[in-house]
């Protein structure tokens, strides 16, 4: 996948954007969904953030247990973006994009499919740009999706986490509605 890098200026530019900047679209989405002021969107955002904490925590442990150098450290690759020579496995970009994309998918199927596609493009771009192996992307995607499913199941099937989340959102909204009235 990395062999074509450096030979197609337009594709290289798109891949560079996907690797370095597209993750900010996910951050923006979380903010926009939250401030739509719809309760279901706020639950979705809260579960996405909880899922991200779980997924990144597990990913950090895995990166220490199964350390693997990045492709540009051990192989001759076309490295198209700058990156530290730290652990390659699992891909943090894949974890982050897939955990948010799948959390959205669990609540909003059509939106979620679009976000999953963007997550896959981001993950692919990391391989294209020579900073990850395909297994890094796949493990990050699986970890993000599994964390999303586990947190979603916990908050939809078990009463006390659901009540805690509802209470936290109620508290937040009681403050927010005093500052910014709902029209």
């Amino acid at each position: 996948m990395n062999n074509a890098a450096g030979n197609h200026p337009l594709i290289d530019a798109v891949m560079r954007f996907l690797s370095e900047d597209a993750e900010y679209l996910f951050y923006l989405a979380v903010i926009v969904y939250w401030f739509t002021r719809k309760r279901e969107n706020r639950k979705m955002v809260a579960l996405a953030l909880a899922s991200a904490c779980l997924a990144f925590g597990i990913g950090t442990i895995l990166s220490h247990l199964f350390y693997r150098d990045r492709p540009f450290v051990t192989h001759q690759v076309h490295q198209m973006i700058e990156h530290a020579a730290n652990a390659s496995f699992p891909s943090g970009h894949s974890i982050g994009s897939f955990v948010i994309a799948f959390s959205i998918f669990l609540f909003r199927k059509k939106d979620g499919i679009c976000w999953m596609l963007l997550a896959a493009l981001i993950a692919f771009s990391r391989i294209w740009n020579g900073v990850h192996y395909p297994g890094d992307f796949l493990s990050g995607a699986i970890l993000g999706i599994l964390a999303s499913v586990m947190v979603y199941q916990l908050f939809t099937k078990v009463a006390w986490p659901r009540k805690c989340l509802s209470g936290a959102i109620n508290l937040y909204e009681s403050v927010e509605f005093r500052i910014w009235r709902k029209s």
Side-chain angles (χ1 to χ4, degrees):
M1 289 183 227
N2 175 256
N3 287 339
N7 297 318
H8 308 280
L10 180 62
I11 295 173
D12 289 339
V14 170
M15 292 298 168
R16 199 171 289 115
F17 167 77
L18 288 168
S19 278
E20 296 180 325
D21 298 319
E23 70 181 306
Y24 296 110
L25 296 173
F26 285 92
Y27 307 149
L28 180 61
V30 165
I31 293 167
V32 169
Y33 280 122
W34 182 265
F35 285 107
T36 60
R37 301 179 93 180
K38 294 179 181 171
R39 191 159 187 87
E40 200 66 11
N41 284 351
R42 289 189 167 167
K43 288 179 188 176
M44 176 182 71
V45 167
L47 296 188
L49 296 176
S51 300
C53 290
L54 175 64
F56 278 115
I58 293 169
T60 299
I61 292 168
L62 289 175
S63 73
H64 291 293
L65 291 175
F66 304 103
Y67 183 88
R68 175 169 48 191
D69 283 325
R70 292 191 178 269
F72 62 83
V73 172
T74 56
H75 302 288
Q76 184 68 27
V77 299
H78 303 285
Q79 186 181 352
M80 304 298 292
I81 60 173
E82 291 295 318
H83 202 289
N86 55 4
S88 179
F89 175 85
S91 167
H93 279 77
S94 290
I95 291 171
S97 58
F98 276 95
V99 77
I100 294 172
F102 205 76
S103 294
I104 293 171
F105 177 79
L106 292 169
F107 283 83
R108 305 171 62 88
K109 300 295 185 237
K110 288 181 183 177
D111 291 3
I113 289 170
C114 293
W115 289 109
M116 291 290 287
L117 178 61
L118 180 58
L121 289 171
I122 289 171
F124 177 78
S125 75
R126 306 292 288 174
I127 299 165
W128 178 278
N129 287 317
V131 296
H132 278 294
Y133 295 103
D136 302 336
F137 134 64
L138 190 59
S139 61
I142 290 168
L143 187 53
I145 290 169
L146 287 177
S148 298
V149 170
M150 289 170 47
V151 168
Y152 180 82
Q153 291 294 319
L154 175 69
F155 280 86
T156 56
K157 304 283 188 213
V158 182
W160 71 266
R162 188 173 53 249
K163 288 178 184 176
C164 289
L165 176 61
S166 184
I169 291 173
N170 287 341
L171 178 64
Y172 169 82
E173 287 178 344
S174 71
V175 172
E176 179 192 56
F177 295 160
R178 288 183 189 149
I179 298 167
W180 177 25
R181 296 212 182 274
K182 193 170 184 176
S183 55

